[in-house]
Amino acid sequence: MIYRAAIFDLDGVLADTARLHLKAWHQLAQELKRPWAEDTGERLKGLERMASLEVILGEESDRFSEKEKIDLASRKNSYYQKLIRSLSPKDLLPGAGELLAWLNEKQIPIALASASKNAQAVLQALEISHYFSTIADPEQSAPKPCPDIFLAAAQGLQVEPELCVAFEDAAAGVAAIKAANGMTAVGVGSENSLREADFIVGSLSEFVPKDFFLSAIHAASIS
Ligand code: BG6
Ligand code: MG
């Protein structure tokens, strides 16, 4: 299969920021004296902000009003924003910069499908904003594992979902890709949590783009 476009999750795929989200949630959990189980980190990956808060609050959720929950989520966000202040290109994950540059050179369009409302700031700090033709708006899409944000990204690129390869580090994100009308999922990380993906790589540096993508230049010359 030859693909025409690439769609990326951000946190934990391109940027080493998944651990910063977890650090910020962990701080909040400690302040609220909520337990942090062995699988809490994995369960939080890819979930949008308010859904993540529900994981932290667990059975205590009913004790908080909607207003209190919004305040707690903004408190976590302020911890996270403090942590991302020092981000720079060195926080790109292995292979991310090289893969984006390769796709760009071959004129293969690239989109972002991140649940994070901080995504644009992170892209800027990493100095990779210019690679993205489309950044799907998480506020306009149902959260992962719904496929909406990946479908919006494909639509923004004007490429059929079945001709897109999407990259994810979270089980919820892989489920979203697999529900996106024939889109192909590359799981980035450990096999345990990404079983549903079509392909799994330990990091983007293991991904061989020339096996997947037809250069737009080449496509134009043969059509
Ligand atoms: C996802 C992260 O990319 O974005 C989650 O994997 C995070 O951990 C979610 O909760 C929402 O991010 P934000 O920045 O809008 O709170
Ligand atoms: Mg992620």
Side-chain angles (χ1 to χ4, degrees):
M1 178 72 177
I2 299 290
Y3 299 95
R4 297 293 174 114
I7 303 177
F8 290 91
D9 172 47
L10 175 63
D11 300 310
V13 170
L14 294 172
D16 193 13
T17 41
R19 69 187 173 84
L20 303 181
H21 277 293
L22 294 189
K23 203 170 171 184
W25 282 121
H26 189 250
Q27 184 175 342
L28 185 73
Q30 279 187 322
E31 288 165 3
L32 297 174
K33 304 205 169 11
R34 292 297 303 148
W36 188 271
E38 210 181 309
D39 66 346
T40 303
E42 209 54 52
R43 286 175 62 208
L44 287 173
K45 273 192 196 168
L47 293 193
E48 61 88 37
R49 201 178 298 168
M50 296 310 286
S52 304
L53 179 67
E54 289 302 329
V55 171
I56 299 294
L57 297 180
E59 73 280 2
E60 303 257 293
S61 170
D62 291 348
R63 290 189 37 224
F64 296 88
S65 68
E66 283 314 303
K67 160 88 176 67
E68 284 169 328
K69 287 182 183 178
I70 289 166
D71 289 347
L72 289 173
S74 351
R75 202 203 293 179
K76 179 269 171 179
N77 195 44
S78 69
Y79 299 153
Y80 179 68
Q81 288 185 330
K82 211 170 186 177
L83 291 168
I84 60 171
R85 252 185 241 155
S86 58
L87 278 186
S88 76
K90 68 175 171 17
D91 296 294
L92 281 166
L93 283 167
E98 293 82 352
L99 178 55
L100 290 169
W102 188 93
L103 294 165
N104 184 56
E105 192 209 321
K106 305 289 181 208
Q107 297 179 20
I108 293 157
I110 306 171
L112 192 79
S114 169
S116 176
K117 298 181 183 77
N118 293 292
Q120 309 241 16
V122 171
L123 291 183
Q124 271 173 22
L126 298 170
E127 299 176 16
I128 55 172
S129 307
H130 58 286
Y131 287 125
F132 293 86
S133 312
T134 293
I135 296 173
D137 182 354
E139 309 220 43
Q140 301 295 323
S141 302
K144 300 171 188 177
C146 291
D148 297 29
I149 195 155
F150 286 98
L151 291 171
Q155 198 174 27
L157 295 174
Q158 295 186 298
V159 177
E160 294 299 315
E162 63 268 28
L163 296 178
C164 297
V165 180
F167 298 83
E168 259 292 349
D169 68 316
V174 168
I177 300 168
K178 292 304 292 172
N181 301 344
M183 201 173 279
T184 291
V186 176
V188 184
S190 95
E191 207 158 335
N192 282 345
S193 46
L194 302 171
R195 274 178 220 295
E196 307 297 317
D198 300 292
F199 302 92
I200 298 176
V201 290
S203 80
L204 289 179
S205 52
E206 288 172 20
F207 181 79
V208 182
K210 67 177 172 42
D211 293 349
F212 286 79
F213 297 100
L214 179 67
S215 151
I217 307 163
H218 185 198
S221 70
I222 58 173
S223 60

